[in-house]
Amino acid sequence: LKETKPKYFLLENVRMKKEWQDIISNELGVEPIMINSSLVSAQNRVRYYWTNIPNLSAPKDKNILIQDIVPNSKGAAKRNQKQKDGNNKAMLNIRKDNKSNCLVSSYTKKLNAVVVDGEFRHLTHNECELLQTLPIDYTKGVSSSQRYRMIGNGWTVDVITHIFKNIVV
């Protein structure tokens, strides 16, 4: 920012300790706004956005649920670590908010699954794209693992669109 002096800037990051958030805010000279992608998609994805784009607020809730992305689903799976007899075991539960877990770049680190016809199944590439408000097959043309990585590392398009609509040209 000091070298290029852009008219507008945007930095996005995950939730973090307040001390790290304060360091970023001090360097950029602005406080972040926290926006959960669940307002514009069926994905629970909380992120901080630092920007000098004026009049920024959270988008209105579109009330999109996992059932809107995955027809006939009865909810998204939530992985909870439970301790039993000194052993860590992963327990699958159904999210009560009818949203998916936050997509991540490493598909194996967090279970992203839905319940269809009483069975847990992984989300498809296209379902993950829709959760990030990307067009279907946007990531087509690369390997399966790279598709999931790209989607998990990306921004939720409708959140960024909401932020950018305040840019004055």
Side-chain angles (χ1 to χ4, degrees):
L1 292 179
K2 292 173 185 171
E3 287 182 31
T4 62
K5 297 180 180 31
K7 182 171 182 177
Y8 297 110
F9 68 88
L10 176 64
L11 173 70
E12 176 261 4
N13 211 329
V14 297
R15 282 191 277 190
M16 63 191 74
K17 288 184 176 182
K18 179 77 168 120
E19 65 185 283
W20 299 115
Q21 180 183 328
D22 289 344
I23 289 170
I24 296 170
S25 296
N26 288 336
E27 283 298 314
L28 298 178
V30 295
E31 292 295 320
I33 181 171
M34 187 176 70
I35 299 176
N36 191 335
S37 292
S38 69
L39 294 171
V40 296
S41 76
Q43 176 188 190
N44 183 47
R45 187 181 187 93
V46 177
R47 294 291 185 269
Y48 285 116
Y49 298 89
W50 288 263
T51 185
N52 63 344
I53 297 171
N55 305 315
L56 189 57
S57 63
K60 291 193 184 330
D61 192 346
K62 293 182 177 180
N63 296 307
I64 301 170
L65 305 174
I66 192 66
Q67 293 85 352
D68 298 321
I69 304 299
V70 185
N72 301 320
S73 67
K74 300 298 181 206
K78 180 177 180 182
R79 181 178 173 163
N80 293 326
Q81 293 292 342
K82 299 281 184 185
Q83 194 151 357
K84 183 178 181 183
D85 302 327
N87 297 320
N88 285 331
K89 293 199 173 193
M91 305 294 290
L92 294 178
N93 296 316
I94 304 298
R95 290 183 65 98
K96 293 187 183 347
D97 61 0
N98 287 309
K99 301 286 184 173
S100 80
N101 294 321
C102 178
L103 300 176
V104 295
S105 61
S106 177
Y107 198 64
T108 58
K109 283 187 181 173
K110 191 172 223 178
L111 179 64
N112 286 301
V114 289
V115 180
V116 179
D117 297 326
E119 298 288 327
F120 286 100
R121 74 161 175 80
H122 289 285
L123 292 167
T124 67
H125 300 108
N126 289 342
E127 290 164 347
C128 290
E129 287 168 336
L130 291 173
L131 290 170
Q132 282 287 64
T133 64
L134 291 163
I136 289 177
D137 286 333
Y138 185 80
T139 60
K140 190 175 180 179
V142 297
S143 70
S144 177
S145 61
Q146 288 302 316
R147 288 183 81 178
Y148 284 119
R149 183 170 287 130
M150 290 165 48
I151 296 165
N153 274 334
W155 284 342
T156 306
V157 173
D158 286 4
V159 170
I160 302 306
T161 300
H162 172 78
I163 292 170
F164 284 178
K165 74 177 179 152
N166 290 317
I167 291 177
V168 179
V169 186

